[in-house]
C-alpha cells in the first residue's frame, strides 16, 4: 500500500486523532495527544473491554509510544480488507446494524461514535467488526449525533436503493466513497418510499434539510452542532434508524447465476468427484499461511469445501444475488473462515480516493496468494472476449498458486454462451490454454473431471513471472 508518508497507510490521514502505519511489516495505530481525553475515557469507562469482549471492536496491545505519540497500539489484523462497494446487501445491512449497536453501547458508557463510516467496519468471515479504535469521543449532554449524516449516506441510502430499486446500485458506493448523496438517493427512490416513515425521515426529509441549509449558506456540521438534542431523543433516533435498516429487505430475485448449481451438466457422481479433486489440488499447491481467493465462487459451494482453520477463503463473484445467498450460508454456519464478496473480474475494484491511495485496488490487496478459478475461464474468454494469453498474464500477476478448470467448447455451458453469438474464438482450445498458461505457470497436476469434458489443473507461478504486470 502506497502513501506519501513512509509506512503510513494511504487511507489513514483524515482523522487528527491518530493514524495507522506499518513498521517492519507490523501494523500499528498512533494515538495523538489531541485524542488523549477521549482515549482515556474509552478505557476507563469499560467500553473498550465491553466491545472487545463482544467482538465488536478489534482488540489491541499497547506498545512503547512512538516519538510524538500519546499512545501506540498494535491492533489485531483483519485477514483481508474489503470495501462496502464489494459487499452484498446482507453484509452492508449487518455492518449498519453493528454501527448502531456500537453507538447505543457507547452512549451507555458516556461516549458516542464521532464517525459512522462504512470503511471503519470490516468482516472476519460472517462477522462485522469495527477496526477504528479512535471512532469514539466523550458524549456532551445535549449534543446531536454528528455522525448521523454519514450513517445515512454510507449505510441507509445504499440499503434503501438496493432493496427498493436494484441490488446493482451497490456500485454507487464505489463512485461516492464519502457516501451516497441523500438528494440523489431521494430522487432515485420510488415514490412509494415516501410512505415509509423511516425513509421519509432519514432520507427524503433529511435530503431536503441538507439542501435548505446549503441554500442558506450554512455548513452542515456547524448547523448540526448548534442543535440541542436530549439523550432520550438521541436514543430514539438510534432506535428509529435500526427499525428503518431492519425493514430494508431484498425481494426474491432470480439472476442468471444465482442458482447455477441446480442448472449444470454435472451428475451427482461427477460433482462428488470434482469436489474431491479440487480439495486435493488445492492442498497440493496452496501457498502456506496465505489467503485463498475463489474467483467465480457463485454461492460458495467450493469455497466452503476448501476452507480450513489455517486458511482464509475470500469468495468473489459478479452476481450480487449469488453472493447474497453465499453470505446467508456463511452466517448460518457462523463461519469466520469464508468471506463472500462481489467482484466483476472484467472491471475489478480499482484504486480510489485521494491520490488513488485511500482504497487499494484488488490487485494490490491479493498479489501472491492462491487463486481458485472453477468454471470461469470460458466466461472471460468467450463472453468477454479476453484472449487466453491475457488471462494467463493476469492470473500470473495475482496468483503464486492456481487451481483452474478448463471448460471446452463441447461443454453445455459453453454451448449456452455461443448460442446467441458467432464463434470467433478459434484459439479457445485446451492446447492453447496449456501453452499460454504453461508459459507463466508450472503445471503440477492435471486431470479430467470424471463424467465431464472438463480438465482441472494445479499450477505454480514460475519465478520469472514474479513482479511482472500482465501483458
Amino acid at each position: 500500500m502506497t502513501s506519501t508518508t513512509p509506512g503510513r497507510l494511504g487511507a489513514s490521514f483524515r482523522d487528527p486523532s491518530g493514524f495507522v502505519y506499518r513498521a517492519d511489516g507490523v501494523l500499528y495505530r498512533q494515538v495523538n495527544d489531541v485524542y488523549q481525553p477521549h482515549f482515556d475515557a474509552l478505557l476507563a469507562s469499560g467500553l473498550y473491554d465491553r466491545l472487545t469482549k463482544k467482538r465488536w471492536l478489534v482488540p489491541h496491545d499497547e506498545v512503547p509510544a512512538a516519538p510524538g505519540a500519546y499512545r501506540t497500539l498494535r491492533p489485531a489484523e483483519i485477514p483481508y480488507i474489503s470495501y462496502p462497494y464489494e459487499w452484498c446487501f446482507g453484509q452492508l445491512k449487518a455492518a449498519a446494524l453493528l454501527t448502531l449497536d456500537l453507538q447505543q453501547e457507547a452512549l451507555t458508557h458516556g461516549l458516542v461514535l464521532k464517525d459512522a463510516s462504512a470503511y471503519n467496519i470490516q468482516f472476519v468471515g460472517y462477522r462485522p467488526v469495527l477496526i477504528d479504535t479512535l471512532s469514539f469521543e466523550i458524549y456532551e449532554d445535549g449534543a446531536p449525533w454528528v455522525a448521523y449524516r454519514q450513517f445515512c449516506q454510507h449505510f441507509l441510502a445504499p440499503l434503501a436503493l438496493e432493496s427498493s430499486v436494484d441490488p446493482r446500485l451497490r456500485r454507487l458506493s464505489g463512485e461516492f466513497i464519502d457516501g451516497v448523496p441523500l438528494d440523489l438517493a431521494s430522487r432515485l427512490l420510488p415514490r412509494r418510499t415516501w410512505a415509509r416513515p423511516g425513509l421519509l425521515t432519514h432520507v427524503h426529509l433529511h435530503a431536503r434539510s441538507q439542501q435548505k441549509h446549503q441554500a442558506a449558506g450554512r455548513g452542515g456540521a456547524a448547523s448540526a452542532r448548534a442543535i440541542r438534542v436530549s439523550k432520550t431523543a438521541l436514543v430514539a433516533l438510534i432506535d428509529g434508524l435500526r427499525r428503518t435498516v431492519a425493514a430494508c429487505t431484498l425481494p426474491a430475485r432470480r439472476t442468471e447465476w444465482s442458482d447455477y448449481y441446480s442448472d449444470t451438466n454435472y451428475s451427482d457422481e461427477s460433482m462428488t468427484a470434482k469436489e474431491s479433486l479440487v480439495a486435493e489440488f488445492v492442498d497440493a499447491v496452496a501457498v502456506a499461511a496465505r489467503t485463498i481467493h475463489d474467483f467465480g465462487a457463485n454461492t460458495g459451494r467450493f469455497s466452503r469445501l476448501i476452507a480450513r482453520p489455517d486458511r482464509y477463503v475470500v469468495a468473489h463473484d459478479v452476481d450480487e444475488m449469488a453472493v447474497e445467498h453465499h453470505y446467508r450460508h456463511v452466517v448460518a454456519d457462523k463461519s469466520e473462515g469464508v468471506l463472500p464478496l462481489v467482484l466483476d473480474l472484467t472491471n475489478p475494484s480499482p484504486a480510489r480516493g485521494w491520490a488513488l491511495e485511500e482504497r487499494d485496488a484488488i490487485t494490490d490487496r491479493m498479489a501472491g496468494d492462491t487463486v481458485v478459478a472453477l468454471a470461469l475461464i470460458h466466461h472471460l474468454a468467450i463472453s468477454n472476449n479476453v484472449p487466453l494469453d491475457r488471462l494467463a498474464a493476469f492470473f500470473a500477476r495475482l496468483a503464486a498458486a492456481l487451481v483452474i478448470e478448463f471448460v471446452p467448447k463441447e461443454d453445455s455451458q459453453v454451448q449456452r454462451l455461443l448460442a446467441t453469438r458467432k464463434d470467433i474464438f478459434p484459439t479457445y482450445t485446451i492446447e492453447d490454454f496449456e501453452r499460454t498458461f504453461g508459459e507463466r505457470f508450472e503445471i503440477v497436476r492435471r486431470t479430467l473431471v470424471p463424467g465431464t469434458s472438463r480438465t482441472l489443473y494445479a499450477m505454480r507461478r514460475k519465478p520469472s513471472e514474479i513482479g511482472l504486470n500482465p501483458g
Side-chain angles (χ1 to χ4, degrees):
M1 182 179 292
T2 57
S3 174
T4 53
T5 302
R8 185 163 173 166
L9 271 63
S12 189
F13 68 93
R14 294 182 183 270
D15 189 354
S17 300
F19 59 89
V20 179
Y21 65 98
R22 284 192 183 277
D24 299 324
V26 179
L27 187 71
Y28 296 98
R29 181 182 294 277
Q30 175 166 313
V31 183
N32 292 334
D33 288 335
V34 69
Y35 191 69
Q36 175 180 348
H38 305 289
F39 184 77
D40 291 346
L42 173 67
L43 299 184
S45 68
L47 179 60
Y48 170 80
D49 291 334
R50 175 72 170 167
L51 297 182
T52 53
K53 184 177 181 180
K54 283 177 168 283
R55 305 176 78 200
W56 290 357
L57 173 67
V58 291
H60 65 254
D61 295 322
E62 284 205 29
V63 298
Y70 173 61
R71 292 281 191 274
T72 299
L73 316 177
R74 186 172 59 205
E77 290 208 44
I78 300 299
Y80 181 77
I81 297 297
S82 61
Y83 301 132
Y85 45 86
E86 299 167 336
W87 299 345
C88 67
F89 176 86
Q91 289 168 311
L92 183 62
K93 185 172 180 177
L97 292 173
L98 174 65
T99 302
L100 295 174
D101 288 339
L102 290 163
Q103 167 70 348
Q104 186 174 45
E105 194 69 48
L107 281 171
T108 64
H109 288 76
L111 289 98
V112 67
L113 274 178
K114 64 174 183 173
D115 299 307
S117 169
Y119 295 95
N120 288 344
I121 306 294
Q122 286 296 323
F123 281 85
V124 180
Y126 83 99
R127 179 173 60 86
V129 60
L130 177 69
I131 62 169
D132 186 3
T133 310
L134 312 189
S135 285
F136 301 94
E137 64 182 9
I138 297 169
Y139 170 68
E140 298 179 10
D141 188 43
W145 187 26
V146 295
Y148 170 55
R149 173 180 176 175
Q150 190 176 45
F151 179 87
C152 292
Q153 293 186 167
H154 278 241
F155 292 110
L156 186 54
L159 284 171
L161 289 168
E162 288 189 50
S163 63
S164 298
V165 184
D166 193 300
R168 290 172 293 184
L169 289 178
R170 163 195 59 79
R171 301 174 191 179
L172 285 176
S173 296
E175 296 301 318
F176 298 99
I177 65 169
D178 289 328
V180 177
L182 296 184
D183 65 319
L184 176 61
S186 180
R187 287 198 296 272
L188 291 175
L189 285 169
R191 292 184 62 85
R192 67 178 184 275
T193 60
W194 286 76
R196 294 173 55 180
L199 295 182
L200 173 64
T201 300
H202 302 301
V203 177
H204 295 300
L205 297 183
H206 193 170
R208 286 190 174 184
S209 176
Q210 286 181 350
Q211 292 173 328
K212 179 181 177 181
H213 289 313
Q214 290 170 357
R218 290 183 284 156
S223 299
R225 290 187 180 275
I227 299 171
R228 306 301 292 173
V229 178
S230 69
K231 190 172 184 179
T232 300
L234 189 53
V235 171
L237 173 69
I238 303 307
D239 289 341
L241 286 169
R242 180 177 284 104
R243 288 192 299 272
T244 306
V245 168
C248 291
T249 58
L250 281 183
R253 182 170 176 262
R254 183 184 183 276
T255 55
E256 185 177 9
W257 304 111
S258 58
D259 58 354
Y260 174 79
Y261 291 120
S262 64
D263 183 27
T264 70
N265 58 353
Y266 282 108
S267 66
D268 291 343
E269 293 78 11
S270 296
M271 181 59 76
T272 299
K274 180 176 177 178
E275 289 176 343
S276 297
L277 286 170
V278 169
E280 183 182 327
F281 277 35
V282 170
D283 287 343
V285 296
V287 180
R290 291 274 193 168
T291 299
I292 294 178
H293 293 264
D294 186 1
F295 286 158
N298 199 259
T299 56
R301 180 173 188 155
F302 287 92
S303 303
R304 297 190 297 277
L305 172 72
I306 61 178
R308 293 193 324 209
D310 61 338
R311 289 178 181 161
Y312 193 72
V313 179
V314 184
H316 309 267
D317 200 88
V318 68
D319 190 304
E320 284 89 354
M321 292 307 299
V323 177
E324 181 71 23
H325 292 325
H326 188 190
Y327 179 64
R328 292 174 186 176
H329 275 296
V330 171
V331 170
D333 295 340
K334 295 191 181 302
S335 172
E336 296 189 11
V338 180
L339 175 64
L341 294 174
V342 182
L343 172 69
D344 181 356
L345 273 179
T346 67
N347 185 26
S349 302
R352 295 183 186 272
W354 176 252
L356 297 180
E357 294 177 351
E358 276 191 87
R359 314 298 169 203
D360 284 344
I362 187 173
T363 48
D364 294 325
R365 283 177 278 152
M366 64 162 291
D369 290 328
T370 299
V371 168
V372 174
L374 306 176
L376 175 67
I377 289 295
H378 57 297
H379 293 292
L380 299 174
I382 294 178
S383 296
N384 294 282
N385 290 35
V386 182
L388 288 175
D389 60 343
R390 285 186 172 269
L391 288 172
F394 177 74
F395 280 104
R397 178 182 180 183
L398 301 181
L402 178 64
V403 174
I404 191 167
E405 182 179 28
F406 182 79
V407 183
K409 285 184 180 180
E410 57 265 30
D411 186 276
S412 65
Q413 294 297 325
V414 180
Q415 289 299 309
R416 176 180 172 183
L417 298 179
L418 291 171
T420 57
R421 63 180 306 172
K422 183 179 179 181
D423 185 352
I424 57 171
F425 312 99
T427 60
Y428 183 77
T429 66
I430 193 168
E431 293 78 16
D432 280 294
F433 173 81
E434 291 187 358
R435 177 183 58 79
T436 54
F437 276 77
E439 291 172 355
R440 299 177 183 273
F441 290 90
E442 173 196 359
I443 298 177
V444 178
R445 294 188 61 179
R446 65 182 168 192
T447 189
L448 192 70
V449 179
T452 76
S453 58
R454 303 180 177 196
T455 304
L456 190 67
Y457 296 83
M459 305 180 180
R460 291 194 183 96
R461 183 172 58 193
K462 292 181 176 179
S464 58
E465 293 299 311
I466 297 175
L468 297 181
N469 289 325

